[in-house]
Amino acid sequence: MTVTAGTAAAGSGAAREDGYAAQAIRGLTYLGRLFGAEAGFDTAARDAVEALFAGWGHRTTRGIDEPEAARGRAPFEFSLVMKDSGPEIRIFLRPLSGEGPTTADSSWQAGWRAVHALEEQGVASLARARTVRDLFVPRSDRAAFGLCIAATVRPTGVAGVKMYFDTLAAGTAENRRVIGEAMERLGLGDAWQWLRRQDPEGMACLMPAFFALDLDDSPQARIKFYTTVDERSADALRARLGRLSGTAGRSAAGLLHALSAGGPAALAAPGVRPTLCWNLTQGERQRPGDATLYLPFQRYTPSGDEALDRLRPYVRAEQLTRLDRFLAHCAADGAHDRAERQLPNPFHWAAAKVNREVVGPLTLYVSAAVVDGASRAES
């Protein structure tokens, strides 16, 4: 059975036109149209939402457990991996309970049901996730979210499924120990020790949330965890990433300069900090193979038109034209307002791996609300 805005979602009762599942389907199908997805994408989007939102897609609110900053926002967002062959469209979500407030435990249970169903369909493998599962079972009132899931949606179906474990599951004091134990169990103890020696800043400022696994058994499947970037200059950022390689240091500083209207001085400004993600695979047991730098793109470059200009070196002209169309759809009253107002940059984050001579592909992150507004403006 396929979930649509007018049908029943599995296990959830009647789906609602304004429910999260319907909103996610609208967003995915809009992005598929925008970027010229192949035939079959709309069906794949509906099937993906049915699998990922099973049991709670009818909901229209997140519940009372969320911090004030999250109230009124959908529990999912979209991202676009701007590959030369065309963008990959991804969705990232926190599973909710079917009814009532969502706790870390109920999110954990709902998330495991969803990924287990994907494993039975042959599109995910939980072998490594089961190895570390007990470390991340929510057992503290300081647990942040329980479990999150991400997946790529293609015309052929769901791919690239990822699980994001809550490193605060056992409380804030256990954050570092839990990550280190997970790395040891996954055979990456030496890489963990390398990071403790070479990135003391990151180990002191571990992002208190995500430890992520690609849910496949290939040698390229990644293990990722996140740290805060507290550096206040491009030179300091370059020096920190330079411990991985000179290329990584230069690329990180270059990305900051390219995507910030104020250049490297953006690092010295107050507000949301960039994030650094260390990427490892089973073949990288001694040290990370790469790192991903996440920049608060919307804050660093508020203007949509300037954002497009800054994306030009990283995005093919055809796809840049489609992003320009997206900005027009994001205008409150439709595309005709483009000449009358300064459109905002809709992408709250931009990220790229940096341990490579040519940075890219860039990944752009956009909220569910922005995409929903653009889809309605298009129609």
Side-chain angles (χ1 to χ4, degrees):
M1 182 187 71
T2 297
V3 176
T4 66
T7 63
S12 67
R16 297 178 53 166
E17 187 72 31
D18 57 346
Y20 287 137
Q23 186 180 358
I25 291 168
R26 282 197 304 272
L28 286 170
T29 53
Y30 164 76
L31 292 172
R33 289 193 304 274
L34 182 69
F35 289 101
E38 298 172 13
F41 184 86
D42 288 7
T43 299
R46 293 187 180 94
D47 290 345
V49 170
E50 177 182 15
L52 295 169
F53 288 60
W56 58 273
H58 61 289
R59 293 192 62 143
T60 60
T61 62
R62 293 164 67 128
I64 63 173
D65 68 312
E66 302 291 345
E68 188 66 32
R71 302 231 174 122
R73 297 208 315 258
F76 63 93
E77 67 178 13
F78 302 103
S79 59
L80 303 168
V81 186
M82 304 304 295
K83 295 184 174 181
D84 285 346
S85 57
E88 282 194 352
I89 300 171
R90 294 180 179 172
I91 186 168
F92 171 92
L93 61 113
R94 182 200 179 189
L96 304 183
S97 61
E99 302 292 340
T102 298
T103 64
D105 184 66
S106 60
S107 182
W108 171 265
Q109 299 295 337
W112 271 99
R113 285 194 297 271
V115 294
H116 184 261
L118 292 173
E119 184 179 47
E120 290 185 330
Q121 295 170 28
V123 297
S125 169
L126 297 178
R128 292 188 308 161
R130 291 190 178 98
T131 300
V132 299
R133 175 173 176 159
D134 64 291
L135 293 171
F136 298 104
V137 175
R139 52 199 183 277
S140 167
D141 60 4
R142 302 303 299 274
F145 57 85
L147 192 68
C148 290
I149 306 170
T152 298
V153 180
R154 297 173 178 165
T156 52
V158 169
V161 184
K162 297 176 175 60
M163 290 180 78
Y164 292 78
F165 291 108
D166 184 352
T167 67
L168 301 184
T172 54
E174 298 296 307
N175 187 32
R176 196 179 342 272
R177 182 194 65 79
V178 165
I179 294 177
E181 175 63 22
M183 294 279 282
E184 290 282 353
R185 292 190 189 183
L186 293 167
L188 299 170
D190 287 346
W192 174 246
Q193 294 305 320
W194 185 93
L195 283 163
R196 294 185 68 179
R197 293 191 305 271
Q198 299 296 328
D199 187 29
E201 300 93 338
M203 298 305 101
C205 299
L206 287 170
M207 183 179 175
F210 299 126
F211 182 87
L213 296 177
D214 289 357
L215 297 188
D216 70 66
D217 295 326
S218 74
Q220 289 74 42
R222 290 176 299 165
I223 301 98
K224 304 187 296 182
F225 67 90
Y226 299 74
T227 73
T228 300
V229 173
D230 277 346
E231 284 74 13
R232 303 288 164 161
S233 72
D235 287 343
L237 181 63
R238 182 187 298 109
R240 180 178 173 193
L241 270 296
R243 297 164 197 162
L244 178 63
S245 74
T247 296
R250 290 189 298 274
S251 296
L255 190 67
L256 171 67
H257 189 277
L259 297 185
S260 304
L267 279 180
V272 176
R273 304 301 303 163
T275 296
L276 178 66
C277 170
W278 290 109
N279 305 323
L280 306 96
T281 68
Q282 294 296 157
E284 294 160 346
R285 295 175 180 266
Q286 302 302 313
R287 55 186 283 170
D290 213 333
T292 302
L293 181 63
Y294 293 76
L295 296 176
F297 189 28
Q298 189 178 68
R299 189 168 75 84
Y300 285 1
T301 304
S303 162
D305 288 325
E306 183 171 357
L308 289 182
D309 285 340
R310 291 183 173 277
L311 289 173
R312 204 170 298 279
Y314 303 101
V315 179
R316 292 183 61 181
E318 176 190 355
Q319 306 306 335
L320 204 65
T321 298
R322 297 177 190 271
L323 290 178
D324 184 73
R325 192 179 309 150
F326 177 53
L327 259 67
H329 292 159
C330 289
D333 298 319
H336 65 277
D337 282 345
R338 180 64 176 268
E340 301 172 15
R341 65 178 68 181
Q342 183 84 341
L343 300 185
N345 177 0
F347 302 109
H348 51 274
W349 291 98
K353 297 181 180 67
V354 296
N355 196 22
R356 51 196 65 196
E357 292 295 340
V358 178
V359 172
L362 223 61
T363 301
L364 303 173
Y365 296 79
V366 61
S367 73
V370 167
V371 174
D372 200 47
S375 69
R376 294 177 186 276
E378 179 205 38
S379 61

